[in-house]
Amino acid sequence: MSVGTPRATSHSNGPVARSIDLEIDGAVVSAHEGTTILDACRAQGIDTPTLCYLENLTPVNVCRVCVVELEGSRVLVPACSRKIEAGMKVRTDSERVRLSRKMVLEFLGSTVDVTLSDDFARYAHRYKADAERYGERAAPAAAGQRDEAIAGHHHATDGASAQTVAQPVKVDNELYVRDYAKCILCYKCVEACGTDAQNTFAIAVAGRGFDARISTEFAVPLGDSACVYCGNCIGVCPTGALMFSTEHEMRAAGTWDESRQKKADTICSYCGVGCTLTVHAQDNEIVKVTSPLDQSVAQGHLCIKGRFGWKFVQNRKSRRKDG
């Protein structure tokens, strides 16, 4: 089966993509030059797990759950970013691959609250990952404690409990919350805030080792940072660490119910760009807005107006009545 960059036709302005052969799990397949191992695997119906990968972002291969075994390579390679080469022999489900994925999932599951990630739960079940074997979790950090960690200054653990990134939720604006107890450091939010989408660079990774965390400059509140509240970081977050305030409040109240929600696509009316909005409504009230990754205008990214500028729709009582 041939995958990857489409072949150029007589109407195409680009060069013809060269098709090359490789072996995946014992089967010889054909794919176009420039295709990643992940795309080649997906074209064969191989469900390769990913947590830090997203189609509209540059691969940063940090989660390491997509690793595969490549003949001749000393280490497992990330399928999301490694480009295919002629004659490659790839194994996606070897014992070594399964053990590596299992350990990564256990490390994450023992330190991070991943209860809102359906993908994580599915992968953990597939690889029989048991995060509980690392023991009870350590006590959560106090508000701001992890922000004060200094790179290279490590503290001794009690040796009996699993270290955790648990900490209070950061609520410093009316649009979205940052619950870094759920952050797996996938870097997606950093990429969306940077060159892949917004070019604002309001957040980055601070610290090293277990103290690494997503932070604004000098850990200032969002209102004092370079954040423009586009919410693209929310749109790419895989675990619920970044969440609409509406969703966060409804979950806290026990009223959030996706089975009762309806979705409808529309075009944002704020400007002439024409971004597609997916409106999520529950009980006839809009609860959040997302955007499809495959829409050609902005590839799932929005501005503050498109993502958050919908509350006026619900202000029905203040509407002027005729007569």
Side-chain angles (χ1 to χ4, degrees), residues 36 52-54 57-62 80-81 191 196:
T36 62
C52 72
Y53 174 80
L54 202 61
L57 299 175
T58 302
V60 290
N61 43 68
V62 294
C80 67
S81 61
E191 295 292 294
D196 278 2

Side-chain angles (χ1 to χ4, degrees), residues 5-214:
T5 307
R7 290 186 180 275
T9 65
S10 58
H11 302 288
S12 175
N13 296 322
V16 176
R18 185 168 66 98
S19 185
I20 57 180
D21 294 334
L22 69 154
E23 185 178 300
I24 300 179
D25 292 338
V28 176
V29 301
S30 180
H32 292 299
E33 190 175 25
T35 302
T36 62
I37 294 177
L38 176 63
D39 286 337
C41 288
R42 286 180 170 178
Q44 304 306 311
I46 300 172
D47 183 15
T48 305
T50 62
L51 290 173
C52 72
Y53 174 80
L54 202 61
E55 289 79 0
N56 62 349
L57 299 175
T58 302
V60 290
N61 43 68
V62 294
C63 75
R64 317 306 289 186
V65 297
C66 74
V67 293
V68 295
E69 194 167 358
L70 177 61
E71 186 175 285
S73 174
R74 179 179 61 86
V75 298
L76 299 176
V77 300
C80 67
S81 61
R82 182 65 180 267
K83 301 295 179 62
I84 63 170
E85 299 173 15
M88 266 186 170
K89 292 185 178 181
V90 178
R91 299 176 65 192
T92 68
D93 199 39
S94 66
E95 183 178 351
R96 186 182 178 193
V97 168
R98 294 185 66 85
L99 177 61
S100 176
R101 292 175 179 174
K102 175 183 178 180
M103 290 186 66
V104 169
L105 294 168
E106 288 182 339
F107 286 153
L108 288 175
S110 66
T111 59
V112 183
D113 178 2
V114 289
T115 54
L116 296 185
S117 175
D118 293 337
D119 284 341
F120 188 96
R122 182 163 55 89
Y123 300 149
H125 177 74
R126 179 193 303 176
Y127 297 104
K128 297 180 173 58
D130 179 19
E132 300 299 323
R133 72 188 182 94
Y134 290 96
E136 295 291 329
R137 292 189 179 188
Q145 183 178 347
R146 284 185 56 80
D147 294 326
E148 298 172 355
I150 301 175
H153 292 228
H154 304 293
H155 57 278
T157 64
D158 59 16
S161 57
Q163 290 296 291
T164 176
V165 298
Q167 58 190 289
V169 179
K170 294 179 183 291
V171 183
D172 54 12
N173 66 90
E174 297 180 355
L175 300 180
Y176 70 96
V177 303
R178 296 177 290 160
D179 185 359
Y180 289 137
K182 295 182 174 67
C183 177
I184 60 171
L185 283 178
C186 69
Y187 286 52
K188 286 181 181 177
C189 59
V190 176
E191 295 292 294
C193 190
T195 55
D196 278 2
Q198 194 61 33
N199 285 284
T200 297
F201 305 99
I203 53 177
V205 178
R208 292 291 184 272
F210 194 78
D211 290 330
R213 69 272 183 193
I214 305 298

Side-chain angles (χ1 to χ4, degrees), residues 164-297:
T164 176
V165 298
Q167 58 190 289
V169 179
K170 294 179 183 291
V171 183
D172 54 12
N173 66 90
E174 297 180 355
L175 300 180
Y176 70 96
V177 303
R178 296 177 290 160
D179 185 359
Y180 289 137
K182 295 182 174 67
C183 177
I184 60 171
L185 283 178
C186 69
Y187 286 52
K188 286 181 181 177
C189 59
V190 176
E191 295 292 294
C193 190
T195 55
D196 278 2
Q198 194 61 33
N199 285 284
T200 297
F201 305 99
I203 53 177
V205 178
R208 292 291 184 272
F210 194 78
D211 290 330
R213 69 272 183 193
I214 305 298
S215 178
T216 57
E217 59 271 27
F218 302 106
V220 298
L222 282 177
D224 297 329
S225 74
C227 179
V228 295
Y229 297 98
C230 65
N232 288 325
C233 55
I234 308 173
V236 300
C237 180
T239 60
L242 302 169
M243 183 181 290
F244 281 84
S245 294
T246 47
E247 180 177 349
H248 176 72
E249 293 166 1
M250 290 177 69
R251 286 185 181 276
T255 58
W256 181 266
D257 187 354
E258 293 186 6
S259 67
R260 292 160 49 197
Q261 294 176 12
K262 297 181 179 179
K263 301 178 184 179
D265 284 354
T266 186
I267 302 300
C268 182
S269 60
Y270 277 106
C271 75
V273 172
C275 297
T276 300
L277 308 181
T278 300
V279 179
H280 301 244
Q282 179 177 323
D283 300 331
N284 203 31
E285 296 282 340
I286 299 175
V287 292
K288 69 176 182 180
V289 167
T290 58
S291 185
L293 299 182
D294 59 355
Q295 64 104 356
S296 61
V297 176

